[in-house]
Amino acid sequence: MLTETMYQDYLACLIKGDRTRCAETVTSLLDRRVEIKTLYLELFQKSLYDVGLMWEANKISVAREHLATAITESLLSLIYPELFAKEEKTRSVVISCAVNEFHQVGGKIVADFCEIHGWDAYFLGANTPMEQLLGFIDEVRPDLIGLSLSVYFNLPRLKKEIRAIQSNFSRTDLMVGGQAFALGGEKMLSSVANINYVPGLDELEGILAHG
């Protein structure tokens, strides 16, 4: 179980840049068989949101925010033995950050979560050029495509990307998510048909279960 005391200790170490202590916390929770979903939601996601709020309130520097993000991304590798212990996967998903989107941890968490639920996930990372994304989708022909966006001002680029994907792969399900939608980006989706907005891992779990 992840207690509030454990979370606050982890958050303090994350902000301080103590990668070793953070890794010890994650390893300890894995040894206790804490659900991976709990780790993603209540440790990784929650701490990154809190770090972002601290940065917005000028309580920490952008350097500290970047450090916390980099540490979190490195800690995800500790979960990999659990991810790849699953049986052979029969469905696939391509996850990519939108064009000009450089925040990739959220997308990586989504890709990992897909793996946990028996999907073969291709994560293309930050700022993938649209032409390259379309080419890769054409090559692997996934069952599902996901786009991640954190920066609200990149919504016009995302909308263009959505239309390009739907024009070329109209029969493939498409989902979007990320912090940009919590800031008002969800309104943009009203002008785009046949797309799933995924506000969190609970909703993603439902899509994966029925995909």
Side-chain angles (χ1 to χ4, degrees):
M1 179 179 179
L2 178 58
T3 66
E4 181 63 20
T5 297
M6 184 176 289
Y7 171 74
Q8 292 298 333
D9 288 344
Y10 171 85
L11 180 61
C13 291
L14 186 65
I15 294 170
K16 187 167 62 174
D18 191 338
R19 187 188 308 266
T20 300
R21 287 286 301 278
C22 289
E24 288 173 353
T25 298
V26 174
T27 301
S28 174
L29 291 169
L30 287 171
D31 289 342
R32 298 180 192 180
R33 309 308 298 173
V34 171
E35 287 190 12
I36 295 178
K37 180 181 177 182
T38 298
L39 290 178
Y40 280 116
L41 282 175
E42 299 181 20
L43 193 68
F44 298 141
Q45 179 177 283
K46 183 179 179 181
S47 61
L48 286 179
Y49 284 174
D50 284 345
V51 166
L53 291 173
M54 290 179 191
W55 172 72
E56 289 176 2
N58 292 318
K59 293 182 179 179
I60 61 173
S61 67
V62 68
R64 288 285 175 187
E65 188 268 340
H66 286 179
L67 178 61
T69 300
I71 290 175
T72 302
E73 190 167 3
S74 71
L75 294 176
L76 295 178
S77 64
L78 297 175
I79 313 294
Y80 289 171
E82 299 287 338
L83 297 185
F84 301 112
K86 302 294 181 181
E87 64 278 2
E88 184 178 354
K89 299 173 174 64
T90 58
R91 295 170 295 179
S92 63
V93 55
V94 169
I95 303 293
S96 178
C97 297
V99 174
N100 206 39
E101 175 59 64
F102 294 92
H103 296 78
Q104 69 174 24
V105 176
K108 185 68 178 71
I109 287 175
V110 168
D112 288 354
F113 203 68
C114 291
E115 291 277 356
I116 292 171
H117 285 76
W119 290 64
D120 194 7
Y122 300 94
F123 178 60
L124 304 187
N127 191 33
T128 303
M130 186 163 62
E131 296 79 8
Q132 298 297 318
L133 172 60
L134 295 175
F136 188 80
I137 293 171
D138 187 50
E139 179 183 340
V140 302
R141 293 288 170 169
D143 301 286
L144 179 65
I145 302 164
L147 297 176
S148 175
L149 185 70
S150 295
V151 180
Y152 177 81
F153 297 105
N154 285 335
L155 278 169
R157 291 187 176 90
L158 176 68
K159 189 173 183 179
K160 182 179 179 181
E161 200 162 2
I162 289 172
R163 287 176 171 168
I165 291 172
Q166 291 182 330
S167 176
N168 288 274
F169 309 100
S170 59
R171 296 185 179 181
T172 306
D173 290 333
L174 178 61
M175 64 180 182
V176 298
Q179 279 296 89
F181 297 96
L183 300 174
E186 192 174 356
K187 296 178 181 178
M188 181 273 289
L189 298 178
S190 62
S191 63
V192 182
N194 302 319
I195 190 167
N196 292 306
Y197 167 51
V198 184
L201 294 183
D202 287 332
E203 292 80 6
L204 174 61
E205 199 166 36
I207 291 174
L208 297 176
H210 299 93

